Each structure stands twice: as C-alpha cells, then as structure tokens.
Amino acid sequence: MGSVCKICGQNTKYLIHKYDALCCISCNEWLEKACSNPECPFCSGRPETPYEAYYLLSEAEIGSAGRKKRWRCDNYQHKTDGMRKHIKRRKHIKRRKHIKRRNEL
C-alpha cells in the first residue's frame, strides 16, 4: 500500500490481505481495530502486532524478500530505543541507590 502513517509520518503503511487490515510497520501497530465477532475469518485469527502477522505469512503472501528486509530495517529502531530506555532505567536505579546510601550515613 505504501501510504503515509498518521501516527509516525513514515511511508510504511501496508494492507495485510490475510487479515484485511491496515498496519504501519514502523509503529508496529494495527491502524484498524479488529471486530468483536469471534466467527470473523479475518479478525478472529489476527495476531497482537503486525510484526507477528508478517512473520506468520508465507513468502507467497508477503511478496518480495526486499519488503521483508525493509520490515527488519524499519523495526531495528524499536530495538535500539528499548536498549536506551533500559540503560536509562539502570542509571536511574543506580543513582537512587547511591542517594539512599548517602542519606543513611
């Protein structure tokens, strides 16, 4: 599909035909809510994230290997952001322990 996502502004919006739903691969979010019908052939089996759906599809349903590689590149940022948050959290905890020890003295 390749149109601009309203959340992140990236040109990474795709329609996954198997689930008849739009998603953004940069945000890793479904852009349409699943229906509440448990009998729905599209929504009832839809995974939590488009990333999971993408890797559940066969190569024939996905298309080219280039699109799969593009998906991995676009989602690499999520991993590095998570790492930064983890490091920041560890520094915060260390700082709190240091302050606590200093106050006890």
Coordinates of all heavy atoms in Angstrom, one line a residue, residues 24-63:
C24 N 1.0 -0.2 10.2 CA 2.2 0.6 10.0 C 3.4 -0.3 10.5 O 3.4 -0.6 11.7 CB 2.1 1.9 10.7 SG 3.7 2.8 10.5
I25 N 4.3 -0.6 9.6 CA 5.4 -1.4 10.1 C 6.4 -0.6 10.9 O 7.1 -1.2 11.7 CB 6.1 -2.1 8.9 CG1 6.7 -1.1 7.9 CG2 5.2 -3.1 8.2 CD1 7.5 -1.7 6.8
S26 N 6.5 0.7 10.8 CA 7.4 1.5 11.6 C 6.8 1.6 13.1 O 7.6 1.5 14.0 CB 7.5 2.9 11.1 OG 8.2 2.9 9.9
C27 N 5.5 1.8 13.2 CA 4.9 1.9 14.5 C 4.7 0.5 15.1 O 4.5 0.3 16.3 CB 3.5 2.6 14.5 SG 3.6 4.2 13.8
N28 N 4.6 -0.5 14.2 CA 4.2 -1.9 14.6 C 2.8 -1.9 15.3 O 2.6 -2.5 16.3 CB 5.3 -2.5 15.6 CG 5.1 -4.0 15.7 OD1 4.6 -4.7 14.8 ND2 5.5 -4.6 16.8
E29 N 1.9 -1.2 14.7 CA 0.6 -1.0 15.2 C -0.4 -1.3 14.1 O -0.2 -1.0 12.9 CB 0.3 0.4 15.7 CG 1.1 0.8 16.8 CD 0.7 0.2 18.1 OE1 -0.5 -0.2 18.3 OE2 1.6 0.0 19.0
W30 N -1.6 -1.9 14.4 CA -2.7 -2.1 13.5 C -3.4 -0.7 13.4 O -3.5 0.0 14.5 CB -3.7 -3.1 14.0 CG -3.1 -4.5 14.0 CD1 -2.8 -5.2 15.1 CD2 -2.9 -5.3 12.9 NE1 -2.3 -6.5 14.7 CE2 -2.4 -6.5 13.3 CE3 -3.1 -5.1 11.5 CZ2 -2.1 -7.6 12.5 CZ3 -2.7 -6.2 10.7 CH2 -2.2 -7.4 11.1
L31 N -3.7 -0.2 12.3 CA -4.3 1.1 12.1 C -5.9 0.9 12.1 O -6.5 1.9 12.1 CB -3.8 1.7 10.8 CG -2.3 2.0 10.8 CD1 -1.9 2.6 9.5 CD2 -1.9 2.8 11.9
E32 N -6.3 -0.3 12.2 CA -7.8 -0.6 12.2 C -8.0 -1.5 13.4 O -7.3 -2.5 13.6 CB -8.3 -1.2 10.9 CG -8.1 -0.3 9.7 CD -8.4 -1.0 8.4 OE1 -8.4 -2.3 8.4 OE2 -8.6 -0.3 7.4
K33 N -9.1 -1.3 14.1 CA -9.4 -2.2 15.2 C -10.0 -3.5 14.7 O -10.7 -3.5 13.6 CB -10.4 -1.6 16.2 CG -9.8 -0.4 17.0 CD -10.8 0.1 18.0 CE -10.2 1.2 18.8 NZ -11.1 1.7 19.8
A34 N -9.8 -4.6 15.4 CA -10.4 -5.9 15.0 C -11.9 -5.8 15.4 O -12.2 -5.2 16.5 CB -9.7 -7.0 15.7
C35 N -12.7 -6.5 14.7 CA -14.1 -6.6 15.1 C -14.3 -7.5 16.2 O -13.4 -8.3 16.5 CB -15.0 -7.0 13.9 SG -14.8 -8.7 13.4
S36 N -15.4 -7.5 16.9 CA -15.6 -8.3 18.1 C -16.3 -9.6 17.7 O -16.5 -10.4 18.6 CB -16.5 -7.5 19.1 OG -17.7 -7.2 18.4
N37 N -16.5 -9.9 16.5 CA -17.2 -11.2 16.0 C -16.1 -12.3 16.1 O -15.2 -12.3 15.3 CB -17.7 -11.0 14.6 CG -18.4 -12.2 14.1 OD1 -18.5 -13.2 14.8 ND2 -18.9 -12.2 12.9
P38 N -16.4 -13.3 17.0 CA -15.4 -14.4 17.1 C -15.4 -15.3 15.8 O -14.5 -16.1 15.6 CB -15.9 -15.2 18.3 CG -17.3 -14.8 18.5 CD -17.4 -13.4 17.9
E39 N -16.5 -15.2 15.0 CA -16.6 -16.0 13.8 C -15.9 -15.3 12.6 O -15.9 -15.9 11.5 CB -18.1 -16.3 13.5 CG -18.8 -17.0 14.6 CD -18.3 -18.4 14.8 OE1 -18.1 -19.1 13.8 OE2 -18.2 -18.8 15.9
C40 N -15.5 -14.1 12.7 CA -14.9 -13.4 11.6 C -13.6 -14.1 11.1 O -12.7 -14.3 11.8 CB -14.5 -11.9 12.0 SG -13.8 -11.0 10.7
P41 N -13.6 -14.4 9.8 CA -12.4 -15.1 9.2 C -11.1 -14.2 9.2 O -10.0 -14.8 9.2 CB -12.8 -15.5 7.8 CG -13.9 -14.5 7.5 CD -14.6 -14.1 8.7
F42 N -11.3 -12.9 9.3 CA -10.1 -12.0 9.2 C -9.6 -11.7 10.7 O -8.5 -11.9 11.0 CB -10.5 -10.7 8.5 CG -10.9 -11.0 7.1 CD1 -12.2 -10.8 6.7 CD2 -10.0 -11.4 6.1 CE1 -12.6 -11.0 5.4 CE2 -10.3 -11.6 4.8 CZ -11.6 -11.4 4.4
C43 N -10.5 -11.2 11.5 CA -10.1 -10.7 12.8 C -9.9 -11.7 13.9 O -9.1 -11.5 14.8 CB -11.2 -9.7 13.3 SG -11.4 -8.3 12.2
S44 N -10.6 -12.8 13.8 CA -10.5 -13.8 14.8 C -9.1 -14.4 15.0 O -8.7 -14.8 16.1 CB -11.5 -15.0 14.6 OG -11.3 -15.6 13.4
G45 N -8.4 -14.5 13.9 CA -7.0 -15.1 14.0 C -5.9 -14.1 13.9 O -4.7 -14.4 13.7
R46 N -6.3 -12.8 14.0 CA -5.3 -11.7 13.8 C -4.4 -11.6 15.0 O -4.8 -11.6 16.2 CB -6.0 -10.4 13.6 CG -5.0 -9.3 13.2 CD -5.8 -8.1 12.6 NE -6.1 -7.2 13.7 CZ -6.7 -6.0 13.5 NH1 -7.1 -5.7 12.3 NH2 -6.9 -5.2 14.5
P47 N -3.0 -11.7 14.8 CA -2.1 -11.6 15.9 C -2.1 -10.2 16.6 O -2.7 -9.2 16.1 CB -0.7 -11.8 15.3 CG -1.0 -12.3 14.0 CD -2.4 -11.9 13.6
E48 N -1.5 -10.1 17.8 CA -1.4 -8.8 18.5 C -0.8 -7.7 17.7 O -1.3 -6.6 17.7 CB -0.6 -9.0 19.8 CG -1.3 -9.9 20.8 CD -2.5 -9.2 21.5 OE1 -2.4 -8.0 21.8 OE2 -3.5 -9.8 21.6
T49 N 0.3 -8.0 17.0 CA 1.0 -6.9 16.3 C 1.2 -7.3 14.8 O 1.2 -8.5 14.5 CB 2.4 -6.7 16.9 OG1 3.2 -7.9 16.7 CG2 2.4 -6.3 18.4
P50 N 1.3 -6.3 14.0 CA 1.6 -6.6 12.6 C 2.9 -7.4 12.4 O 3.0 -8.2 11.4 CB 1.7 -5.2 11.9 CG 0.9 -4.3 12.8 CD 1.1 -4.9 14.2
Y51 N 3.9 -7.1 13.2 CA 5.2 -7.8 13.1 C 5.0 -9.3 13.2 O 5.5 -10.1 12.5 CB 6.1 -7.3 14.2 CG 7.5 -7.8 14.1 CD1 8.4 -7.3 13.2 CD2 8.0 -8.8 15.0 CE1 9.7 -7.7 13.1 CE2 9.2 -9.3 14.9 CZ 10.1 -8.7 13.9 OH 11.4 -9.2 13.8
E52 N 4.1 -9.7 14.2 CA 3.9 -11.2 14.3 C 3.1 -11.7 13.1 O 3.4 -12.8 12.6 CB 3.0 -11.4 15.5 CG 3.7 -11.1 16.9 CD 2.7 -11.2 18.0 OE1 1.9 -12.2 18.1 OE2 2.7 -10.3 18.8
A53 N 2.2 -10.9 12.6 CA 1.4 -11.3 11.4 C 2.3 -11.5 10.2 O 2.2 -12.4 9.4 CB 0.3 -10.3 11.1
Y54 N 3.3 -10.5 10.1 CA 4.2 -10.5 8.9 C 5.0 -11.8 8.9 O 5.2 -12.4 7.8 CB 5.1 -9.3 9.1 CG 5.9 -9.1 7.9 CD1 5.4 -8.4 6.7 CD2 7.3 -9.4 7.8 CE1 6.2 -8.2 5.6 CE2 8.1 -9.2 6.7 CZ 7.5 -8.6 5.6 OH 8.3 -8.3 4.5
Y55 N 5.5 -12.3 10.0 CA 6.3 -13.5 10.0 C 5.5 -14.8 10.0 O 6.0 -15.8 9.8 CB 7.3 -13.4 11.2 CG 8.5 -12.6 10.8 CD1 8.5 -11.2 11.2 CD2 9.4 -13.0 9.9 CE1 9.6 -10.4 10.8 CE2 10.5 -12.2 9.5 CZ 10.5 -10.9 9.9 OH 11.5 -10.1 9.5
L56 N 4.2 -14.7 10.3 CA 3.3 -15.8 10.2 C 2.9 -16.1 8.7 O 2.5 -17.2 8.4 CB 2.0 -15.6 11.0 CG 2.3 -15.7 12.5 CD1 1.0 -15.3 13.3 CD2 2.8 -17.0 13.0
L57 N 3.0 -15.1 7.9 CA 2.6 -15.2 6.5 C 3.7 -16.0 5.7 O 4.8 -15.9 6.0 CB 2.4 -13.9 5.9 CG 1.3 -13.0 6.5 CD1 1.2 -11.7 5.8 CD2 -0.1 -13.7 6.3
S58 N 3.2 -16.7 4.7 CA 4.2 -17.4 3.9 C 4.8 -16.4 2.9 O 4.3 -15.3 2.7 CB 3.5 -18.5 3.1 OG 2.7 -18.0 2.1
E59 N 5.9 -16.8 2.3 CA 6.6 -15.9 1.3 C 5.7 -15.5 0.2 O 5.8 -14.3 -0.3 CB 7.8 -16.6 0.7 CG 9.1 -16.6 1.6 CD 9.6 -15.2 1.8 OE1 9.6 -14.3 0.9 OE2 10.0 -14.9 2.9
A60 N 4.8 -16.4 -0.3 CA 3.9 -16.0 -1.4 C 2.9 -14.9 -1.0 O 2.6 -14.1 -1.8 CB 3.1 -17.3 -1.8
E61 N 2.5 -14.9 0.3 CA 1.6 -13.9 0.7 C 2.3 -12.5 1.0 O 1.7 -11.5 0.9 CB 0.9 -14.3 2.0 CG -0.1 -15.5 1.8 CD -0.6 -16.1 3.1 OE1 0.3 -16.4 3.9 OE2 -1.8 -16.3 3.2
I62 N 3.6 -12.6 1.4 CA 4.3 -11.4 1.7 C 4.7 -10.6 0.5 O 4.6 -9.4 0.4 CB 5.6 -11.7 2.5 CG1 5.2 -12.3 3.9 CG2 6.5 -10.5 2.7 CD1 6.3 -12.9 4.7
G63 N 5.2 -11.3 -0.5 CA 5.7 -10.6 -1.7 C 7.2 -10.9 -1.7 O 7.7 -12.0 -1.5

